[in-house]
Amino acid sequence: MLRLLTFAAFLSLPLSQAKGAEVIELTQTPCQFIEGENGMDHGFQSNSSADCDKINAQTKDKRLADARPLTLKAGTHTFRVTNKNIPYTVGFWLRDKDYNWKNPLHKLSKTSVSGGGLTQGVSKTFTVDLKPGEYLYSCPLNPTLDYKLIVK
């Protein structure tokens, strides 16, 4: 019974306070992750992924040139991803830089964490153990750029 109460108390804490866990907040707005672009919300308007495809085709090079990679220490990290003002369901995908979803060996040997179901105003968490290396994060449903994540 004591273990159950302790676990329940743990669950009632805000995630950022749970056992000192580090939570990386990522905010999606139409066609972008704000944190991936140095905190800049470009104010893009989108009603579908096709809108983002057009926006990204026109702005990708400049935005990637201005972006700085997110840098973390190796270890277990929890990413809290929030859909802010996107009128359709979005998701999150974090993977090794060279991950190829078509390669069955990559599914066994490389990092790939993903999920969807983030409707407007909803947040979800994704916990992953990251080893030193380079990773990418993005959202295929709200086509964003492939943002760099460096783990040291």
Side-chain angles (χ1 to χ4, degrees):
M1 181 70 165
L2 181 57
R3 284 187 186 156
L4 182 59
L5 290 174
T6 303
F7 185 66
F10 173 80
L11 289 177
S12 68
L13 289 173
L15 196 54
S16 59
Q17 294 176 8
K19 292 282 185 181
E22 179 182 7
V23 176
I24 296 91
E25 300 281 349
L26 295 175
T27 310
Q28 274 194 77
T29 60
C31 316
Q32 73 170 114
F33 278 94
I34 293 174
E35 295 78 7
E37 300 195 36
N38 308 319
M40 169 71 73
D41 183 346
H42 294 288
F44 298 132
Q45 299 295 313
S46 173
N47 290 310
S48 70
S49 61
D51 293 337
C52 290
D53 289 336
K54 292 175 190 171
I55 289 167
N56 291 338
Q58 296 170 355
T59 64
K60 176 182 179 178
D61 293 338
K62 168 114 176 68
R63 289 167 54 206
L64 283 177
D66 292 342
R68 280 178 256 152
L70 177 61
T71 303
L72 300 172
K73 292 181 182 178
T76 302
H77 299 280
T78 298
F79 294 84
R80 182 183 296 135
V81 182
T82 301
N83 173 341
K84 180 180 178 188
N85 301 325
I86 304 168
Y88 47 91
T89 303
V90 301
F92 177 68
W93 185 26
L94 182 136
R95 71 260 183 214
D96 277 298
K97 180 181 177 182
D98 61 349
Y99 183 85
N100 179 349
W101 64 271
K102 294 178 184 177
N103 184 334
L105 294 177
H106 284 195
K107 293 179 181 180
L108 298 172
S109 63
K110 298 203 175 272
T111 298
S112 178
V113 175
S114 63
L118 283 92
T119 55
Q120 190 167 353
V122 169
S123 297
K124 286 193 176 182
T125 58
F126 302 84
T127 301
V128 60
D129 185 42
L130 297 174
K131 295 176 175 50
E134 289 189 37
Y135 300 84
L136 298 174
Y137 67 95
S138 63
C139 176
L141 303 173
N142 171 43
T144 65
L145 305 179
D146 288 329
Y147 300 100
K148 282 188 183 180
L149 168 64
I150 299 172
V151 177
K152 296 182 178 187

